[in-house]
Amino acid sequence: DAKTTQPNSMESNEEEPVHLPCNHSTISGTDYIHWYRQLPSQGPEYVIHGLTSNVNNRMASLAIAEDRKSSTLILHRATLRDAAVYYCILRDKPPSTPLVFGKGTRLSVIA
Amino acid sequence: AAGVIQSPRHLIKEKRETATLKCYPIPRHDTVYWYQQGPGQDPQFLISFYEKMQSDKGSIPDRFSAQQFSDYHSELNMSSLELGDSALYFCASRAGWETQYFGPGTRLLVL
């Protein structure tokens, strides 16, 4: 799987939007961009994924650069419950294959 | 909605003892994954099963073994425990083209 680069940590104020960046300059044409998050003392949790077009779901939005070398996870209104480690993972294989977690971004949300 | 169940949630063992961790996937999920997360580390894939057959193998020590039973639950057997085995052990399950759903984890402490 191609490598991703994320900032070690970010901080946000509550109820403000948060933009979590991920660089993946070696992404291949068949790589899907997945985001998972891990809340304190919990198992990882799926957030969103996409291939080329921007994606929205009830949890977040995923903005993918036109050249696909970077993407941004957008939390529209951060809450204290969004404080977690966010992982950007590229997957070019079927969903049956295991996840390879790299170094994610620890998001802190300030009340 | 039903989630992945793991038992026990906490386990304390002495060095050289054995431990068995259990995972009950979401109903109708046919694939189970095991991940290990050491203190301050990111989750690392150990092993997975699809329809009761081993499907992928990661960095699982030879002292560990696992299997998936006819009811799709899985057990991770760990022998000759070492201090370095102290970690959170997550189980995840999946069906078809869905994403992986993680359980709450078992926290193992080896003394």
Side-chain angles (χ1 to χ4, degrees), chain B residues 9-78:
Chain B
R9 294 293 309 279
H10 303 272
L11 190 59
I12 299 175
K13 290 286 185 179
E14 300 277 343
K15 280 195 316 183
R16 292 179 288 278
E17 285 190 325
T18 61
T20 297
L21 309 185
K22 297 184 179 183
C23 169
Y24 298 87
I26 293 172
R28 293 179 293 281
H29 281 201
D30 52 18
T31 307
V32 168
Y33 308 81
W34 286 97
Y35 294 83
Q36 177 191 57
Q37 186 172 26
Q41 303 295 312
D42 303 299
Q44 298 296 314
F45 169 69
L46 292 178
I47 196 168
S48 63
F49 293 86
Y50 168 70
E51 284 290 346
K52 292 152 278 184
M53 299 288 289
Q54 181 182 307
S55 53
D56 280 288
K57 194 171 183 179
S59 51
I60 183 169
D62 292 340
R63 300 177 289 107
F64 294 6
S65 65
Q67 58 182 319
Q68 186 179 31
F69 295 85
S70 58
D71 64 351
Y72 294 100
H73 93 272
S74 178
E75 294 184 3
L76 178 65
N77 298 294
M78 311 161 70

Side-chain angles (χ1 to χ4, degrees), chain A residues 34 36 38 41-46 85 87 91 94-104, chain B residues 9 31 33 35 37 41-45 48 56 90 94 96-100 102-104 107:
Chain A
H34 290 248
Y36 278 75
Q38 186 174 20
S41 302
Q42 295 190 28
E45 173 187 36
Y46 167 80
V85 178
Y87 295 96
R91 305 190 72 207
S96 59
T97 51
L99 296 169
V100 179
F101 290 87
K103 297 296 180 186
Chain B
R9 294 293 309 279
T31 307
Y33 308 81
Y35 294 83
Q37 186 172 26
Q41 303 295 312
D42 303 299
Q44 298 296 314
F45 169 69
S48 63
D56 280 288
F90 291 107
R94 187 192 60 82
W97 288 87
E98 293 184 25
T99 184
Q100 294 183 28
F102 284 77
R107 185 176 295 277

Side-chain angles (χ1 to χ4, degrees), chain A residues 32-52:
Chain A
Y32 280 80
I33 303 160
H34 290 248
W35 284 82
Y36 278 75
R37 71 179 185 180
Q38 186 174 20
L39 280 64
S41 302
Q42 295 190 28
E45 173 187 36
Y46 167 80
V47 178
I48 200 167
H49 78 281
L51 182 62
T52 56

Side-chain angles (χ1 to χ4, degrees), chain A residues 13-93:
Chain A
N13 293 318
E14 199 176 11
E15 298 192 5
E16 289 188 356
V18 182
H19 291 231
L20 297 164
C22 180
N23 288 319
H24 29 77
S25 58
T26 60
I27 191 170
S28 73
T30 55
D31 279 335
Y32 280 80
I33 303 160
H34 290 248
W35 284 82
Y36 278 75
R37 71 179 185 180
Q38 186 174 20
L39 280 64
S41 302
Q42 295 190 28
E45 173 187 36
Y46 167 80
V47 178
I48 200 167
H49 78 281
L51 182 62
T52 56
S53 303
N54 294 344
V55 184
N56 300 294
N57 67 20
R58 64 175 181 82
M59 289 181 69
S61 295
L62 177 59
I64 301 172
E66 196 169 334
D67 63 6
R68 299 205 334 120
K69 293 184 185 300
S70 65
S71 61
T72 302
L73 178 70
I74 302 166
L75 306 180
H76 297 285
R77 287 183 66 206
T79 69
L80 297 178
R81 289 174 295 178
D82 291 321
V85 178
Y86 287 79
Y87 295 96
C88 171
I89 301 172
L90 302 185
R91 305 190 72 207
D92 65 348
K93 300 179 177 68

